[in-house]
Amino acid sequence: MTLTAPPVAPGETSRRRRMVPPALVAGGLGLATLALHLRDPHSDGSWGICPTAAMGFQCPGCGGLRAVNDLSNLRILDAASSNLAFVLALPLIAYAFLRWTRGRWIGQPWQPSDRALKYGAIAVIVVLVVFTVMRNTPAGSWLAP
């Protein structure tokens, strides 16, 4: 007896095909995390030189690689010290990824409203601008990696 996939209605894709993008994203993130775990970014130059840090400016992403390494070693406070915005954003990133993946699994794509996308994008931009300004001023030096 051979097992075959159930017929797929015209215009529909199989679950296996729908799940390829989430699997690729999860696999890519897993590989990147493994690479950052194995090659410590806390060592100067281990991952190259950050152009903004070389100019004396801490962008919102500065310290992100170190934060991933710290998280992969279960050092949450060290990760927050490296890049607080990244650590605080992780639950939101995980939520969005899981909603997207669930939608692909059940065949009903997650489609946030245009209003939610607009205000979400504005909120992210405002938070990152404030975070960047704060970490580059003496008052917010505790936010610098």
Side-chain angles (χ1 to χ4, degrees):
M1 177 173 155
T2 57
L3 296 175
T4 59
V8 177
E12 286 188 25
T13 57
S14 69
R15 179 175 288 162
R16 175 184 287 162
R17 200 170 264 180
R18 289 191 315 261
M19 294 307 294
V20 168
L24 290 174
V25 169
L29 289 173
L31 287 174
T33 301
L34 178 64
L36 286 165
H37 178 76
L38 297 175
R39 185 171 180 156
D40 189 358
H42 291 90
S43 304
D44 286 339
S46 64
W47 285 92
I49 299 170
C50 175
T52 58
M55 294 185 291
F57 176 76
Q58 304 295 324
C59 76
C62 284
L65 299 181
R66 291 185 292 274
V68 172
N69 175 269
D70 291 334
L71 288 171
S72 74
N73 288 300
L74 303 176
R75 295 189 319 248
I76 297 170
L77 293 178
D78 290 344
S81 174
S82 292
N83 192 318
L84 184 61
F86 173 74
V87 173
L88 294 178
L90 280 177
L92 298 172
I93 294 167
Y95 171 77
F97 177 75
L98 292 173
R99 282 291 306 262
W100 173 60
T101 301
R102 180 184 177 275
R104 299 210 45 111
W105 179 263
I106 64 174
Q108 296 176 347
W110 177 46
Q111 297 177 340
S113 69
D114 289 341
R115 182 177 178 201
L117 291 173
K118 175 184 170 184
Y119 290 117
I122 290 170
V124 166
I125 290 168
V126 167
V127 166
L128 290 179
V129 166
V130 169
F131 178 69
T132 302
V133 169
M134 287 294 296
R135 73 186 330 201
N136 285 286
T137 61
S141 62
W142 60 275
L143 292 171

